[in-house]
Amino acid sequence: MKARVTGVANGPKAVTAYIVHATPQARIMLRPIRAAIKAAAPRAVEKLSYGMPYYSHHGRLAYFAAFRDHVSVYIPGRVLQAHAKEIAPYWRGKATLQFPIGTKVPVRLIAKLVRARRLENEG
């Protein structure tokens, strides 16, 4: 499945534009994800990387992306493994969480994971 908005050259140049160009159903999910990441890591740098929203703070912190059938959040490092039981319904690979379009996004959980990743990066 291709992301709703692909390619930096042809796609949006900022995270706000990325969200605006997503489908209405994805937009409803992307906005709280963005807010949760920014609240958990207020000093993180926000930009697009690989055509999707990316946050860095002392290294890679998190990404998110909209696809036709789901929205994904990518959190690198050991954070997801440390919270395996809590994230089990959403975990789709080493660093990937998926939320089907139209479902409620667990923003508190995302904020918790991003905070843990921020601390991992700072340590």
Side-chain angles (χ1 to χ4, degrees):
M1 287 181 222
K2 289 190 174 183
R4 169 77 172 105
V5 181
T6 59
V8 175
N10 297 322
K13 304 296 186 231
V15 174
T16 300
Y18 180 94
I19 293 171
V20 167
H21 284 89
T23 65
Q25 300 89 345
R27 239 180 281 140
I28 291 168
M29 299 171 74
L30 296 174
R31 287 183 179 128
I33 291 170
R34 181 188 194 191
I37 294 170
K38 290 174 84 170
R43 291 181 289 170
V45 173
E46 177 184 77
K47 64 180 183 177
L48 293 181
S49 178
Y50 300 106
M52 63 183 144
Y54 164 70
Y55 298 83
S56 65
H57 177 77
H58 297 279
R60 294 183 316 146
L61 186 64
Y63 298 80
F64 64 82
F67 296 87
R68 183 181 62 221
D69 298 325
H70 67 276
V71 169
S72 290
V73 175
Y74 308 94
I75 302 175
R78 297 183 190 108
V79 171
L80 297 186
Q81 290 84 356
H83 295 88
K85 284 186 181 181
E86 204 171 358
I87 66 167
Y90 318 109
W91 202 2
R92 299 293 181 269
K94 186 176 177 182
T96 305
L97 302 175
Q98 280 186 6
F99 310 100
I101 291 292
T103 61
K104 187 173 185 206
V105 177
V107 290
R108 285 187 179 150
L109 177 59
I110 291 170
K112 177 181 178 178
L113 297 170
V114 170
R115 247 187 319 279
R117 176 61 181 168
R118 187 193 76 214
L119 293 171
E120 182 179 75
N121 283 359
E122 289 172 351

